[in-house]
Amino acid sequence: MVHIWNDPSEVPADFGPTVVTFGNFDGVHRGHQQVLSQLVRIGRLNHARAVAITFDPHPAQVHRPESAPELIMGLEDKLVALGELGLDSVLVLKYSLELAGLTPEEFVADILIGSLKASHVVIGHDARFGRGNSGDLATMQELGRKLGFEVLVISEFGSEGFPLHDEKLHNAVHDDGGTDRRCSSTWVREALRSGDVATAAAVLGRPHRMRGEVVHGAARGRDLGFPTANLAFTASGYIPADGIYAGWLVDQAGTRWPAAISVGSNPTFDGVSRQVEAHVIDRPAEDADAFDLYGQTVVVEFVTRLRGMVAYRGPEALVEQMRLDVVQAHDLLVAHRGRH
C-alpha cells in the first residue's frame, strides 16, 4: 500500500534511504508511467524506497492562474493512478510562493535529503527546479556530488515506449501527432479538446475519466425515457469536447456500468451551461425505477466519441437519435470489454 504524505513533516524520521523523482504528473500518462516504473525498479535494485513528489495545486495555477492549463485529473485520481505503479510513497507538496522561493540547493537539501534521505534522484534531461526554475540537470549533478547522492537521468518516452534520446531513433522521432510523438499532458489535453478520447486513452494508457457527485438536473433525460446521472459542476477531470460518447460509469460500490455519455449544453432545449451526464445502459430491469445514484461520487470513463452535439427539431427526433446512440454505445462497449 502506497503511503501518502501531505507535508515533509509527515515523513517518519527513520524513513529511507529513498529513490526520488518529482513532477506534476498530470494525467499520469504512459510517459510518466515509464519513468515511475524505472524509479521503482531502481529502488528495488538499491534496497531503497521509491518516492514520487508531486505538487498541489499545479504551479501554473499559482504563477499564472489566468492561463493555467485545465487539469486532466483531480488530485484524488492522480494519487490512485500513482498508487497503482508500485511506488512506496507519494509526497504531495502544497505549492505556494514560499515553496517556489526555495533555491535549488534549499529544495534538494531540505526536502530530498533532509526529509526523504534520498540516495538517488531520478530526473529527466530537461528538468527544472528551484527559485525561478534556475536549477537544471547540471545543478542537480553538482548538488549530488556535494550532498552525496547519485543522479540518474531518465529519457523521455514516446507513445510506444521508445526513448526519444536514443540516437538510433533520433531520425524517426517527430512531433506531428504520429506514433512516435512524445507522450505529454499537452497531447492528452489536445485530444480531449477535440473529443478524440481514443487517442487520449492511448497516451494515458487507460480511458480518460472524470469524478464527481451525481446531482439533480432538469430531468429531461428521464422524461424522454433516458434517465441520466448528472455530474456536479465541481467534478474533477478535463471535460472533453461537446458530443455523445460511449463509456463507463463506476458507482460508489465499484460496479462498472456501460453508459452513453452526453457532454454539452442540450442545444435542442436551448441549454447554456455545459453538463456531463451519463445514461446507464444495462440498468437492472427488476428495479430500474429504484436505480438511484443521487448523492454518490461516481467515475465516468470515456472510451470513444460517437458523434458531435446537434440541435434536433423537437423531442421526437432527439429520442430517435438517442435510441441509436444507446445501441451503438452498447455494441462498442461489448467489443471494448472483449478486448480488455
Side-chain angles (χ1 to χ4, degrees), residues 23 57 76 86 98 154 177 221 254 261 268 338:
E76 182 177 356
E98 181 181 0
I154 299 295
I261 306 161
T268 300

Side-chain angles (χ1 to χ4, degrees), residues 320-336:
E320 180 57 32
Q321 182 60 58
M322 291 169 74
R323 290 196 184 100
L324 296 175
D325 293 338
V326 167
V327 170
Q328 185 180 7
H330 178 272
D331 292 346
L332 285 168
L333 292 169
V334 168
H336 180 265

